[in-house]
């Protein structure tokens, strides 16, 4: 694979593998698809040339609850060296990795000491590069052990290289590793990368992909595939499954009510917090204030500023809208539900603002700072704290586009996966009030009814 840009980062990584005893390591932090693994691969290749042995592990969502699963993956190639460990460390490590009959929980401290001894002894023969990818998904015990090791290898020929998604946490953050925040590619590098993967894109689509991708290499490589069949360059770009998964994952971990408000924000073409809160109120059937969005700010999905809600990446917005449960209109027509944000909005009538430029839609409308006036809600230039307004026509319209089984399943759920698995009804969904009379199926006719009611 040809790398575009990243000269500074590659220099830092080259320095790390050239002198693994000089510092404990590097923690690369960045949004999904920004190129963390690509840099790791470059570092591992450089390490091989420099004569280092690389040991690798990676956090996996499915193994987050399995204690020491990440450590097991890292140390498995060294299992023949376990016998040389001091007896108590051997017992603890064997118990942790399930290679002994020992009952009971091993001491985390002893397991960490064993890992440190093993890695240091191995590195005495040949310097080591310890790679831990996606450490936000590592099981907590493995993450603690790696952090313990990272804090003690300054003088050893061992370097740690870890990756972490932005907005997530891990004990590796406080382990003395040098933080390497990975931002978007420069405009030139992004254009060069896009040119290398999709040479013949029509110019409007090319510009659209560049604007939507925001310098994210995954988006630059995946969006052209999704855009291949696009006949109307102004319509919403469909996401590939990988993009949708990457950018919606953090939304799934939020509280149900926050997810509901976030879905409303994703479906809304505007950014007024007052509008979003009023739509969330309709959707949830109860009063809401700005605190409902706080977890999404903490998770670095959105920013709230001066009365507006801004998604930190356009793809977060698209992915959240796409990953939410589909509007169920297909059940009536016999067609399968369409998950695209375009169809979701289109089915409910126009939730978009009145266009200020009626014909020219290129360059694409910014998803961040729309300029048109808000519909039905007075805009406040300075918003200072919670101020949910009464239901507005526009709020009702936005809420109407949300799936009909909200909030009874998804929005009310608190489990991490209820964002993506809302279609089975929970045993006894606690519905507070019937919030959206007239738009239970999200159909155009029923939404129109809501609009007439709320406009009167
Ligand atoms: N600088 C680059 N030049 C060319 N291609 C790149 C560059 N960086 C990343 N890519 C490509 O972009 C895609 C996404 O990159 P990568 O998998 O490294 O992202 P990531 O940050 O590890 O994502 P995730 O958080 O999902 O693990 C990959 O196909 C990768 O090969
Ligand atoms: Mg990766």
């Amino acid at each position: 694979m040809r790398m575009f840009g990243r000269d500074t980062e590659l220099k830092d990584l080259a320095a790390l593998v050239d002198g693994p005893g000089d510092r404990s390591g590097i923690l690369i932090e960045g949004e999904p698809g920004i190129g963390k693994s690509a840099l790791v691969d470059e570092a591992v290749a450089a390490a091989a040339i420099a004569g280092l042995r690389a040991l690798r592990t990676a956090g996996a969502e499915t193994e987050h609850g399995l204690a020491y699963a990440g450590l097991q993956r890292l140390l498995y190639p060294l299992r023949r060296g376990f016998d040389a460990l001091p007896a108590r460390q051997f017992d603890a490590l064997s118990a942790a990795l399930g290679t002994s009959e020992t009952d009971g929980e091993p001491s985390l401290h002893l397991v960490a000491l064993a890992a440190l001894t093993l890695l240091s002894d191995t590195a005495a023969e040949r310097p080591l590069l310890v790679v831990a990818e996606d450490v936000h998904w590592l099981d907590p015990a493995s993450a603690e052990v790696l952090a313990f090791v990272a804090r003690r290898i300054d003088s050893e020929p061992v370097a740690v290289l870890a990756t972490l998604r932005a907005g997530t946490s891990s004990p590796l953050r406080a382990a003395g590793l040098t933080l390497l925040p990975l931002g978007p590619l420069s405009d030139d590098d992004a254009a060069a990368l896009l040119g290398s993967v999709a040479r013949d894109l029509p110019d409007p689509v090319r510009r659209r992909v560049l604007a939507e991708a925001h310098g994210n290499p995954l988006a630059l490589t995946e969006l052209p595939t999704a855009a291949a069949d696009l006949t109307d360059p102004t319509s919403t770009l469909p996401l590939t499954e990988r993009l949708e998964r990457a950018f919606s994952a953090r939304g799934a971990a939020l509280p149900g009510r926050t997810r509901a408000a976030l879905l409303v924000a994703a479906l809304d073409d505007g950014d007024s917090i007052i509008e979003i809160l009023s739509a969330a109120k309709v959707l949830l059937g109860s009063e809401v204030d700005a605190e409902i969005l706080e977890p999404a700010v903490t998770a670095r999905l959105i920013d709230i500023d001066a009365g507006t809600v801004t998604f930190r990446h356009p793809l977060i917005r698209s992915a959240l809208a796409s990953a939410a449960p589909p509007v169920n209109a297909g059940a009536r027509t016999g067609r399968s539900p369409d998950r695209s944000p375009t169809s979701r909005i289109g089915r409910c009538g126009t939730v978009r603002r009145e266009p200020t430029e009626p014909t020219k839609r290129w360059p694409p409308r910014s998803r961040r700072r729309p300029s048109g006036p808000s519909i039905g809600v007075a805009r406040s230039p300075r918003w200072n704290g919670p101020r949910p307004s009464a239901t507005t026509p526009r709020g009702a319209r936005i809420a109407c586009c949300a799936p009909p089984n909200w909030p009874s399943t998804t929005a009310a759920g608190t489990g991490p996966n209820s964002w993506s698995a809302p279609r089975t009804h929970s045993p006894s969904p606690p519905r507070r009030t019937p919030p959206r009379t007239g738009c239970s199926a999200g159909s155009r006719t029923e939404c129109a009814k809501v609009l007439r009611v709320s406009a009167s």
Side-chain angles (χ1 to χ4, degrees), residues 3-46:
M3 284 288 277
F4 293 85
R6 307 303 191 206
D7 296 347
T8 314
E9 291 84 0
L10 288 169
K11 261 189 216 138
D12 284 351
L13 293 171
L16 181 72
V17 300
D18 282 346
D22 296 346
R23 53 179 166 170
S24 52
I26 288 179
L27 175 63
I28 306 174
E29 183 187 17
E31 67 189 32
I34 201 69
K36 302 180 291 294
S37 299
L39 280 179
V40 166
D41 288 346
E42 294 290 321
V44 169

mmCIF file of all heavy atoms in Angstrom, residues 3-46:
data_model
loop_
_atom_site.group_PDB
_atom_site.id
_atom_site.type_symbol
_atom_site.label_atom_id
_atom_site.label_comp_id
_atom_site.label_asym_id
_atom_site.label_seq_id
_atom_site.Cartn_x
_atom_site.Cartn_y
_atom_site.Cartn_z
ATOM 1 N N MET A 3 1.605 4.919 1.051
ATOM 2 C CA MET A 3 1.179 5.869 2.086
ATOM 3 C C MET A 3 1.203 7.279 1.519
ATOM 4 O O MET A 3 2.163 7.671 0.859
ATOM 5 C CB MET A 3 2.154 5.841 3.261
ATOM 6 C CG MET A 3 2.035 4.661 4.176
ATOM 7 S SD MET A 3 0.562 4.743 5.189
ATOM 8 C CE MET A 3 1.075 5.802 6.516
ATOM 9 N N PHE A 4 0.176 8.026 1.809
ATOM 10 C CA PHE A 4 0.149 9.443 1.426
ATOM 11 C C PHE A 4 0.297 10.280 2.691
ATOM 12 O O PHE A 4 -0.389 10.047 3.693
ATOM 13 C CB PHE A 4 -1.154 9.769 0.699
ATOM 14 C CG PHE A 4 -1.253 9.093 -0.639
ATOM 15 C CD1 PHE A 4 -1.729 7.800 -0.741
ATOM 16 C CD2 PHE A 4 -0.811 9.736 -1.785
ATOM 17 C CE1 PHE A 4 -1.798 7.158 -1.969
ATOM 18 C CE2 PHE A 4 -0.871 9.106 -3.021
ATOM 19 C CZ PHE A 4 -1.370 7.806 -3.116
ATOM 20 N N GLY A 5 1.192 11.245 2.652
ATOM 21 C CA GLY A 5 1.402 12.110 3.808
ATOM 22 C C GLY A 5 2.048 11.350 4.963
ATOM 23 O O GLY A 5 2.754 10.363 4.771
ATOM 24 N N ARG A 6 1.814 11.862 6.182
ATOM 25 C CA ARG A 6 2.286 11.216 7.419
ATOM 26 C C ARG A 6 3.801 11.210 7.568
ATOM 27 O O ARG A 6 4.358 10.323 8.265
ATOM 28 C CB ARG A 6 1.785 9.758 7.520
ATOM 29 C CG ARG A 6 0.275 9.568 7.368
ATOM 30 C CD ARG A 6 -0.482 10.369 8.360
ATOM 31 N NE ARG A 6 -1.889 10.018 8.422
ATOM 32 C CZ ARG A 6 -2.826 10.859 8.812
ATOM 33 N NH1 ARG A 6 -2.524 12.106 9.149
ATOM 34 N NH2 ARG A 6 -4.066 10.488 8.874
ATOM 35 N N ASP A 7 4.492 12.137 6.932
ATOM 36 C CA ASP A 7 5.959 12.151 7.033
ATOM 37 C C ASP A 7 6.435 12.304 8.471
ATOM 38 O O ASP A 7 7.338 11.596 8.921
ATOM 39 C CB ASP A 7 6.531 13.296 6.179
ATOM 40 C CG ASP A 7 6.246 13.076 4.701
ATOM 41 O OD1 ASP A 7 5.842 11.945 4.362
ATOM 42 O OD2 ASP A 7 6.411 14.020 3.910
ATOM 43 N N THR A 8 5.826 13.242 9.205
ATOM 44 C CA THR A 8 6.269 13.482 10.586
ATOM 45 C C THR A 8 6.037 12.247 11.445
ATOM 46 O O THR A 8 6.911 11.836 12.230
ATOM 47 C CB THR A 8 5.444 14.652 11.190
ATOM 48 O OG1 THR A 8 5.401 15.694 10.235
ATOM 49 C CG2 THR A 8 6.029 15.145 12.477
ATOM 50 N N GLU A 9 4.854 11.660 11.296
ATOM 51 C CA GLU A 9 4.528 10.484 12.119
ATOM 52 C C GLU A 9 5.473 9.324 11.804
ATOM 53 O O GLU A 9 5.941 8.621 12.707
ATOM 54 C CB GLU A 9 3.084 10.045 11.863
ATOM 55 C CG GLU A 9 2.021 11.007 12.373
ATOM 56 C CD GLU A 9 1.720 12.161 11.408
ATOM 57 O OE1 GLU A 9 2.354 12.210 10.338
ATOM 58 O OE2 GLU A 9 0.882 13.010 11.732
ATOM 59 N N LEU A 10 5.778 9.151 10.514
ATOM 60 C CA LEU A 10 6.678 8.059 10.142
ATOM 61 C C LEU A 10 8.076 8.281 10.713
ATOM 62 O O LEU A 10 8.753 7.324 11.117
ATOM 63 C CB LEU A 10 6.726 7.915 8.617
ATOM 64 C CG LEU A 10 5.436 7.329 7.998
ATOM 65 C CD1 LEU A 10 5.448 7.460 6.479
ATOM 66 C CD2 LEU A 10 5.259 5.862 8.400
ATOM 67 N N LYS A 11 8.485 9.547 10.799
ATOM 68 C CA LYS A 11 9.802 9.844 11.394
ATOM 69 C C LYS A 11 9.804 9.468 12.875
ATOM 70 O O LYS A 11 10.758 8.883 13.380
ATOM 71 C CB LYS A 11 10.114 11.337 11.238
ATOM 72 C CG LYS A 11 11.034 11.607 10.073
ATOM 73 C CD LYS A 11 11.488 13.049 10.079
ATOM 74 C CE LYS A 11 11.583 13.502 8.636
ATOM 75 N NZ LYS A 11 11.076 14.827 8.357
ATOM 76 N N ASP A 12 8.715 9.827 13.571
ATOM 77 C CA ASP A 12 8.620 9.486 15.000
ATOM 78 C C ASP A 12 8.685 7.980 15.210
ATOM 79 O O ASP A 12 9.348 7.484 16.127
ATOM 80 C CB ASP A 12 7.296 9.997 15.582
ATOM 81 C CG ASP A 12 7.332 11.497 15.820
ATOM 82 O OD1 ASP A 12 8.423 12.085 15.699
ATOM 83 O OD2 ASP A 12 6.266 12.076 16.102
ATOM 84 N N LEU A 13 7.980 7.265 14.342
ATOM 85 C CA LEU A 13 7.956 5.809 14.489
ATOM 86 C C LEU A 13 9.312 5.200 14.151
ATOM 87 O O LEU A 13 9.764 4.244 14.796
ATOM 88 C CB LEU A 13 6.855 5.205 13.607
ATOM 89 C CG LEU A 13 5.434 5.577 14.053
ATOM 90 C CD1 LEU A 13 4.406 5.146 13.017
ATOM 91 C CD2 LEU A 13 5.113 4.943 15.408
ATOM 92 N N ALA A 14 9.985 5.780 13.157
ATOM 93 C CA ALA A 14 11.322 5.289 12.800
ATOM 94 C C ALA A 14 12.272 5.485 13.976
ATOM 95 O O ALA A 14 13.086 4.597 14.303
ATOM 96 C CB ALA A 14 11.831 6.019 11.557
ATOM 97 N N ALA A 15 12.149 6.631 14.655
ATOM 98 C CA ALA A 15 13.013 6.889 15.818
ATOM 99 C C ALA A 15 12.730 5.878 16.923
ATOM 100 O O ALA A 15 13.642 5.418 17.621
ATOM 101 C CB ALA A 15 12.792 8.314 16.326
ATOM 102 N N LEU A 16 11.463 5.518 17.065
ATOM 103 C CA LEU A 16 11.103 4.554 18.117
ATOM 104 C C LEU A 16 11.739 3.190 17.861
ATOM 105 O O LEU A 16 12.309 2.573 18.772
ATOM 106 C CB LEU A 16 9.576 4.411 18.183
ATOM 107 C CG LEU A 16 9.048 3.461 19.263
ATOM 108 C CD1 LEU A 16 9.221 4.085 20.650
ATOM 109 C CD2 LEU A 16 7.583 3.109 19.031
ATOM 110 N N VAL A 17 11.637 2.724 16.617
ATOM 111 C CA VAL A 17 12.191 1.383 16.362
ATOM 112 C C VAL A 17 13.711 1.401 16.260
ATOM 113 O O VAL A 17 14.363 0.387 16.495
ATOM 114 C CB VAL A 17 11.561 0.711 15.100
ATOM 115 C CG1 VAL A 17 10.075 0.557 15.261
ATOM 116 C CG2 VAL A 17 11.897 1.452 13.837
ATOM 117 N N ASP A 18 14.285 2.560 15.964
ATOM 118 C CA ASP A 18 15.753 2.643 15.925
ATOM 119 C C ASP A 18 16.357 2.651 17.325
ATOM 120 O O ASP A 18 17.489 2.223 17.516
ATOM 121 C CB ASP A 18 16.200 3.905 15.174
ATOM 122 C CG ASP A 18 16.077 3.707 13.675
ATOM 123 O OD1 ASP A 18 15.917 2.537 13.263
ATOM 124 O OD2 ASP A 18 16.107 4.711 12.924
ATOM 125 N N GLY A 19 15.609 3.162 18.284
ATOM 126 C CA GLY A 19 16.149 3.203 19.653
ATOM 127 C C GLY A 19 15.099 2.788 20.652
ATOM 128 O O GLY A 19 14.599 3.613 21.411
ATOM 129 N N PRO A 20 14.746 1.503 20.676
ATOM 130 C CA PRO A 20 13.639 1.074 21.541
ATOM 131 C C PRO A 20 13.919 1.263 23.031
ATOM 132 O O PRO A 20 12.993 1.188 23.831
ATOM 133 C CB PRO A 20 13.472 -0.416 21.198
ATOM 134 C CG PRO A 20 14.732 -0.836 20.542
ATOM 135 C CD PRO A 20 15.329 0.385 19.923
ATOM 136 N N GLY A 21 15.165 1.516 23.405
ATOM 137 C CA GLY A 21 15.454 1.731 24.821
ATOM 138 C C GLY A 21 15.363 3.198 25.229
ATOM 139 O O GLY A 21 15.458 3.535 26.408
ATOM 140 N N ASP A 22 15.142 4.088 24.242
ATOM 141 C CA ASP A 22 15.184 5.513 24.550
ATOM 142 C C ASP A 22 13.907 6.032 25.218
ATOM 143 O O ASP A 22 13.916 6.970 25.982
ATOM 144 C CB ASP A 22 15.416 6.329 23.274
ATOM 145 C CG ASP A 22 16.781 5.996 22.669
ATOM 146 O OD1 ASP A 22 17.581 5.367 23.388
ATOM 147 O OD2 ASP A 22 17.011 6.345 21.498
ATOM 148 N N ARG A 23 12.770 5.457 24.861
ATOM 149 C CA ARG A 23 11.530 5.856 25.522
ATOM 150 C C ARG A 23 10.576 4.671 25.483
ATOM 151 O O ARG A 23 10.765 3.719 24.718
ATOM 152 C CB ARG A 23 10.891 7.074 24.844
ATOM 153 C CG ARG A 23 10.681 6.899 23.368
ATOM 154 C CD ARG A 23 10.028 8.127 22.772
ATOM 155 N NE ARG A 23 10.130 8.097 21.319
ATOM 156 C CZ ARG A 23 9.484 8.926 20.534
ATOM 157 N NH1 ARG A 23 8.705 9.847 21.059
ATOM 158 N NH2 ARG A 23 9.605 8.849 19.226
ATOM 159 N N SER A 24 9.542 4.739 26.329
ATOM 160 C CA SER A 24 8.745 3.524 26.470
ATOM 161 C C SER A 24 7.844 3.256 25.273
ATOM 162 O O SER A 24 7.519 2.111 24.992
ATOM 163 C CB SER A 24 7.936 3.567 27.758
ATOM 164 O OG SER A 24 7.205 4.756 27.835
ATOM 165 N N GLY A 25 7.438 4.291 24.545
ATOM 166 C CA GLY A 25 6.638 3.990 23.363
ATOM 167 C C GLY A 25 5.735 5.109 22.925
ATOM 168 O O GLY A 25 5.800 6.226 23.435
ATOM 169 N N ILE A 26 4.857 4.769 21.984
ATOM 170 C CA ILE A 26 3.990 5.764 21.353
ATOM 171 C C ILE A 26 2.548 5.250 21.385
ATOM 172 O O ILE A 26 2.293 4.063 21.136
ATOM 173 C CB ILE A 26 4.439 6.016 19.895
ATOM 174 C CG1 ILE A 26 5.756 6.813 19.901
ATOM 175 C CG2 ILE A 26 3.373 6.751 19.098
ATOM 176 C CD1 ILE A 26 6.328 7.121 18.522
ATOM 177 N N LEU A 27 1.635 6.174 21.696
ATOM 178 C CA LEU A 27 0.215 5.856 21.638
ATOM 179 C C LEU A 27 -0.404 6.705 20.522
ATOM 180 O O LEU A 27 -0.455 7.927 20.617
ATOM 181 C CB LEU A 27 -0.453 6.188 22.980
ATOM 182 C CG LEU A 27 -1.966 6.016 23.065
ATOM 183 C CD1 LEU A 27 -2.377 4.561 22.860
ATOM 184 C CD2 LEU A 27 -2.491 6.514 24.417
ATOM 185 N N ILE A 28 -0.830 6.038 19.454
ATOM 186 C CA ILE A 28 -1.440 6.770 18.330
ATOM 187 C C ILE A 28 -2.936 6.870 18.590
ATOM 188 O O ILE A 28 -3.610 5.859 18.804
ATOM 189 C CB ILE A 28 -1.217 6.034 16.988
ATOM 190 C CG1 ILE A 28 0.264 5.761 16.751
ATOM 191 C CG2 ILE A 28 -1.805 6.830 15.842
ATOM 192 C CD1 ILE A 28 0.547 4.908 15.505
ATOM 193 N N GLU A 29 -3.433 8.100 18.581
ATOM 194 C CA GLU A 29 -4.852 8.307 18.854
ATOM 195 C C GLU A 29 -5.520 8.994 17.674
ATOM 196 O O GLU A 29 -4.990 9.964 17.126
ATOM 197 C CB GLU A 29 -5.035 9.172 20.105
ATOM 198 C CG GLU A 29 -6.488 9.339 20.466
ATOM 199 C CD GLU A 29 -6.725 10.335 21.594
ATOM 200 O OE1 GLU A 29 -5.812 11.140 21.879
ATOM 201 O OE2 GLU A 29 -7.808 10.300 22.168
ATOM 202 N N GLY A 30 -6.658 8.488 17.257
ATOM 203 C CA GLY A 30 -7.361 9.153 16.156
ATOM 204 C C GLY A 30 -8.710 8.520 15.896
ATOM 205 O O GLY A 30 -9.017 7.439 16.398
ATOM 206 N N GLU A 31 -9.494 9.204 15.071
ATOM 207 C CA GLU A 31 -10.840 8.751 14.768
ATOM 208 C C GLU A 31 -10.793 7.458 13.937
ATOM 209 O O GLU A 31 -9.725 7.104 13.399
ATOM 210 C CB GLU A 31 -11.595 9.847 14.011
ATOM 211 C CG GLU A 31 -11.020 10.095 12.635
ATOM 212 C CD GLU A 31 -11.611 11.323 11.942
ATOM 213 O OE1 GLU A 31 -11.962 12.288 12.634
ATOM 214 O OE2 GLU A 31 -11.700 11.309 10.715
ATOM 215 N N PRO A 32 -11.914 6.772 13.808
ATOM 216 C CA PRO A 32 -11.920 5.551 13.001
ATOM 217 C C PRO A 32 -11.457 5.830 11.576
ATOM 218 O O PRO A 32 -11.814 6.858 10.994
ATOM 219 C CB PRO A 32 -13.406 5.139 12.986
ATOM 220 C CG PRO A 32 -14.046 5.855 14.109
ATOM 221 C CD PRO A 32 -13.233 7.073 14.386
ATOM 222 N N GLY A 33 -10.648 4.929 11.048
ATOM 223 C CA GLY A 33 -10.236 5.028 9.651
ATOM 224 C C GLY A 33 -9.222 6.101 9.330
ATOM 225 O O GLY A 33 -8.883 6.321 8.163
ATOM 226 N N ILE A 34 -8.655 6.737 10.339
ATOM 227 C CA ILE A 34 -7.756 7.862 10.079
ATOM 228 C C ILE A 34 -6.351 7.382 9.686
ATOM 229 O O ILE A 34 -5.526 8.160 9.219
ATOM 230 C CB ILE A 34 -7.710 8.815 11.302
ATOM 231 C CG1 ILE A 34 -7.221 10.205 10.915
ATOM 232 C CG2 ILE A 34 -6.887 8.227 12.444
ATOM 233 C CD1 ILE A 34 -8.152 10.990 10.068
ATOM 234 N N GLY A 35 -6.088 6.082 9.915
ATOM 235 C CA GLY A 35 -4.803 5.538 9.469
ATOM 236 C C GLY A 35 -3.896 5.056 10.580
ATOM 237 O O GLY A 35 -2.680 4.923 10.384
ATOM 238 N N LYS A 36 -4.445 4.734 11.736
ATOM 239 C CA LYS A 36 -3.627 4.254 12.860
ATOM 240 C C LYS A 36 -2.972 2.912 12.508
ATOM 241 O O LYS A 36 -1.760 2.733 12.666
ATOM 242 C CB LYS A 36 -4.504 4.100 14.125
ATOM 243 C CG LYS A 36 -5.211 5.383 14.550
ATOM 244 C CD LYS A 36 -6.060 5.200 15.784
ATOM 245 C CE LYS A 36 -7.282 4.338 15.579
ATOM 246 N NZ LYS A 36 -8.292 4.917 14.659
ATOM 247 N N SER A 37 -3.791 1.981 12.011
ATOM 248 C CA SER A 37 -3.236 0.651 11.700
ATOM 249 C C SER A 37 -2.250 0.726 10.549
ATOM 250 O O SER A 37 -1.259 -0.019 10.520
ATOM 251 C CB SER A 37 -4.360 -0.328 11.350
ATOM 252 O OG SER A 37 -5.234 -0.466 12.433
ATOM 253 N N ALA A 38 -2.513 1.614 9.608
ATOM 254 C CA ALA A 38 -1.595 1.755 8.485
ATOM 255 C C ALA A 38 -0.216 2.182 9.000
ATOM 256 O O ALA A 38 0.822 1.666 8.548
ATOM 257 C CB ALA A 38 -2.134 2.768 7.480
ATOM 258 N N LEU A 39 -0.195 3.090 9.967
ATOM 259 C CA LEU A 39 1.092 3.529 10.540
ATOM 260 C C LEU A 39 1.753 2.392 11.323
ATOM 261 O O LEU A 39 2.975 2.222 11.284
ATOM 262 C CB LEU A 39 0.881 4.737 11.452
ATOM 263 C CG LEU A 39 0.750 6.097 10.761
ATOM 264 C CD1 LEU A 39 0.511 7.194 11.793
ATOM 265 C CD2 LEU A 39 2.007 6.429 9.947
ATOM 266 N N VAL A 40 0.933 1.635 12.040
ATOM 267 C CA VAL A 40 1.480 0.502 12.794
ATOM 268 C C VAL A 40 2.153 -0.482 11.833
ATOM 269 O O VAL A 40 3.262 -0.970 12.083
ATOM 270 C CB VAL A 40 0.365 -0.197 13.607
ATOM 271 C CG1 VAL A 40 0.831 -1.556 14.112
ATOM 272 C CG2 VAL A 40 -0.070 0.682 14.781
ATOM 273 N N ASP A 41 1.479 -0.746 10.715
ATOM 274 C CA ASP A 41 2.072 -1.685 9.741
ATOM 275 C C ASP A 41 3.417 -1.168 9.233
ATOM 276 O O ASP A 41 4.378 -1.926 9.064
ATOM 277 C CB ASP A 41 1.112 -1.899 8.558
ATOM 278 C CG ASP A 41 -0.093 -2.731 8.976
ATOM 279 O OD1 ASP A 41 -0.052 -3.344 10.065
ATOM 280 O OD2 ASP A 41 -1.098 -2.745 8.231
ATOM 281 N N GLU A 42 3.481 0.136 8.998
ATOM 282 C CA GLU A 42 4.756 0.718 8.558
ATOM 283 C C GLU A 42 5.820 0.549 9.643
ATOM 284 O O GLU A 42 6.979 0.238 9.352
ATOM 285 C CB GLU A 42 4.585 2.221 8.254
ATOM 286 C CG GLU A 42 3.674 2.523 7.076
ATOM 287 C CD GLU A 42 4.294 2.126 5.736
ATOM 288 O OE1 GLU A 42 5.509 2.322 5.580
ATOM 289 O OE2 GLU A 42 3.555 1.595 4.879
ATOM 290 N N ALA A 43 5.412 0.756 10.894
ATOM 291 C CA ALA A 43 6.376 0.647 11.995
ATOM 292 C C ALA A 43 6.861 -0.787 12.157
ATOM 293 O O ALA A 43 8.051 -1.029 12.412
ATOM 294 C CB ALA A 43 5.737 1.138 13.299
ATOM 295 N N VAL A 44 5.938 -1.737 12.001
ATOM 296 C CA VAL A 44 6.336 -3.142 12.140
ATOM 297 C C VAL A 44 7.316 -3.515 11.025
ATOM 298 O O VAL A 44 8.312 -4.213 11.260
ATOM 299 C CB VAL A 44 5.082 -4.056 12.134
ATOM 300 C CG1 VAL A 44 5.472 -5.519 12.007
ATOM 301 C CG2 VAL A 44 4.264 -3.839 13.415
ATOM 302 N N ALA A 45 7.055 -3.021 9.818
ATOM 303 C CA ALA A 45 7.972 -3.304 8.707
ATOM 304 C C ALA A 45 9.345 -2.685 8.990
ATOM 305 O O ALA A 45 10.390 -3.332 8.786
ATOM 306 C CB ALA A 45 7.389 -2.754 7.404
ATOM 307 N N ALA A 46 9.334 -1.455 9.499
ATOM 308 C CA ALA A 46 10.611 -0.794 9.819
ATOM 309 C C ALA A 46 11.324 -1.534 10.943
ATOM 310 O O ALA A 46 12.567 -1.657 10.953
ATOM 311 C CB ALA A 46 10.361 0.661 10.219
#
